[in-house]
Amino acid sequence: MPAARPTTPFTGRRIRAAVIGTGAIGRGSHLPALARLAREGETEVVAAVDIDRGAVEAFCAGTGIPHAYTDLGLMLAEQRPDLVSICTPPTLHRAQTVAALRAGAWVWCEKPPVPSLADFDAIEAEEGADGGPYAAIVFQHRFGSGARHVRRLLAQGALGRPLVAHCQTTWYRDAAYYAVPWRGRWHTEGGGPAMGHGIHQMDLLLDLLGPWSEVRAMAGRLVHDIETEDVSTALVRFASGALATVVNSVLSPDEVSRIRLDCERATVELTHLYGHANGDWRITPAPDVSAEQAEAWRDFGPDEPSSHLAQLRELVASMRAGERPRSSGPDGRTSLELVTALYKSAFTDTTVRAGEIGPGDPYYTALHGGAPGWAPPVTAEEVPA
């Protein structure tokens, strides 16, 4: 008889959660997911943190959260949450995630994860060695019944080898969007559409097709007066040999998010905008596939849309099992590495291979890599005396 699995610190009780940042993503996505699991007896939200005292007090008063803070360290010391949900700008993610991990809390952090691979590796170094705490990134498009079904078909080899793929995030952002001072700046937004918009579809593509091996890219600043790019294109080769095109844009009035996989026995297509359900997927079989087989492939089962809730359910299950969650550690790093390689390839006019960007490479610490015409101007305060 197998030995009983050891219990975790969360066995037999609710997971105590705190929300950091009370803006739109915290209010509109994280809190509803936490509240839903609270109704199911899984979680309880014990505190919220924001630098704006009035905002956090109103947030807590309107949602029934018992404790409002403007100091993250004080909240961690007084409330000792099990899970911290980080909904702040990317430049704050590293320091806030490290503080939470050191306090013993697991972390669920909004994308973009951090502004550089160096920051990501610094966070991973703070994680628990065995059983947590771990820091997971919000990549909710991986989760839900549609992605799970297609991932299973691919893993089983039912559709044959993946051969050709297309990954498209073509959205539209006008001048008013970039009038917000922190947008379009490397330091505050972390990157352009490759980092801040297209990373979701690229992450889903990687989750379906597995490791990438090399990338060749171009980027442009075609419309907006910003530091970052407003469009990029890339050719990606996967370790399996499959080839993919990737387009990330904020210049496209007809907005769409799309992934297409051409496999030996079928084409799989996902077309949506900000989230997908079973009905957004389409499977077209090759001519020699039987109708019965095609119908079996098209049976996605009960519909669970991609969402923060779908990912949070799996994260909480991982916490209770004492296991590293998906989209954390090396699994969470892979899409950031691809984005970094895309920028390096575009700005240096070279092919970049997986694993080559590490300490000593300028792109390891900044996505612009100091490239002429792309790096932000150096201010007088930053020039050494």
Side-chain angles (χ1 to χ4, degrees):
M1 184 175 180
R5 186 176 184 84
T7 60
T8 71
F10 316 114
T11 300
R13 67 174 180 85
R14 291 174 181 259
I15 287 174
R16 293 166 50 83
V19 177
I20 316 303
T22 62
I25 196 68
R27 183 182 300 275
S29 297
H30 285 246
L31 186 60
L34 288 163
R36 173 64 180 272
L37 291 192
R39 293 195 295 272
E40 298 173 10
E42 288 285 349
T43 61
E44 60 176 324
V45 182
V46 298
V49 181
D50 198 285
I51 58 172
D52 185 329
R53 179 173 297 279
V56 70
E57 289 179 348
F59 181 81
C60 290
T63 56
I65 298 173
H67 302 288
Y69 289 85
T70 58
D71 186 307
L72 174 61
L74 183 62
M75 185 281 292
L76 291 170
E78 291 185 352
Q79 299 302 322
R80 308 298 298 178
D82 306 310
L83 174 65
V84 168
S85 184
I86 295 181
C87 311
T88 54
T91 51
L92 302 175
H93 289 176
R94 173 177 172 173
Q96 292 174 338
T97 298
V98 168
L101 290 170
R102 288 179 177 176
W106 292 51
V107 175
W108 191 33
C109 181
E110 262 301 327
K111 66 83 192 166
V114 282
S116 71
L117 289 171
D119 290 323
F120 193 98
D121 291 346
I123 287 173
E124 192 174 353
E126 298 287 343
E127 293 182 317
D130 184 23
Y134 299 114
I137 309 304
V138 175
F139 284 131
Q140 75 272 21
H141 290 200
R142 288 189 188 194
F143 297 84
S145 53
R148 182 168 57 245
H149 177 68
V150 171
R151 188 168 53 247
R152 183 169 56 246
L153 291 176
L154 291 167
Q156 293 172 346
L159 307 180
R161 288 185 302 134
L163 303 172
V164 183
H166 305 276
C167 181
Q168 176 183 355
T169 305
T170 44
W171 295 356
Y172 186 79
R173 298 294 183 266
D174 61 13
Y177 176 86
Y178 284 108
V180 177
W182 60 269
R183 287 183 174 143
R185 304 289 180 261
W186 293 107
H187 177 66
T188 49
E189 196 169 23
M195 178 68 156
H197 303 85
I199 193 170
H200 272 304
Q201 297 314 298
M202 289 188 283
D203 181 75
L204 177 54
L205 183 72
L206 291 167
D207 193 51
L208 296 173
L209 293 189
W212 63 277
S213 61
E214 61 181 350
V215 61
R216 191 71 168 84
M218 294 189 294
R221 192 187 291 124
L222 302 185
V223 172
H224 298 290
D225 182 18
I226 55 179
E227 290 179 355
T228 66
E229 87 289 2
D230 55 17
V231 63
S232 67
T233 64
L235 302 175
V236 182
R237 189 188 306 275
F238 284 80
S240 66
L243 298 176
T245 63
V246 177
V247 179
N248 302 300
S249 166
V250 288
L251 310 178
S252 309
D254 183 8
E255 295 186 293
V256 69
S257 303
R258 179 180 291 122
I259 285 178
R260 172 176 168 141
L261 310 176
D262 292 321
C263 303
E264 290 175 308
R265 304 189 67 205
T267 292
V268 179
E269 293 177 276
L270 168 64
T271 303
H272 66 113
L273 189 53
Y274 299 135
H276 53 83
N278 287 354
D280 297 312
W281 294 82
R282 185 172 68 175
I283 298 180
T284 304
D288 61 342
V289 173
S290 70
E292 293 77 14
Q293 181 65 80
E295 285 308 305
W297 292 344
R298 291 168 176 151
D299 182 4
F300 282 70
D303 195 357
E304 180 188 18
S306 67
S307 64
H308 284 69
L309 176 60
Q311 182 173 2
L312 182 61
R313 283 191 191 281
E314 193 167 312
L315 174 58
V316 167
S318 296
M319 292 178 69
R320 294 199 182 281
E323 298 173 346
R324 175 178 285 284
R326 293 173 62 209
S327 77
S328 72
D331 182 51
R333 190 183 191 272
T334 181
S335 55
L336 179 60
E337 185 187 5
L338 177 59
V339 169
T340 306
L342 184 155
Y343 282 123
K344 180 177 180 180
S345 174
F347 299 161
T348 62
D349 194 26
T350 60
T351 296
V352 178
R353 290 169 175 81
E356 78 171 52
I357 301 176
D361 188 311
Y363 289 87
Y364 182 67
T365 52
L367 292 185
H368 56 72
W374 288 102
V378 177
T379 64
E381 291 79 9
E382 295 172 315
V383 177

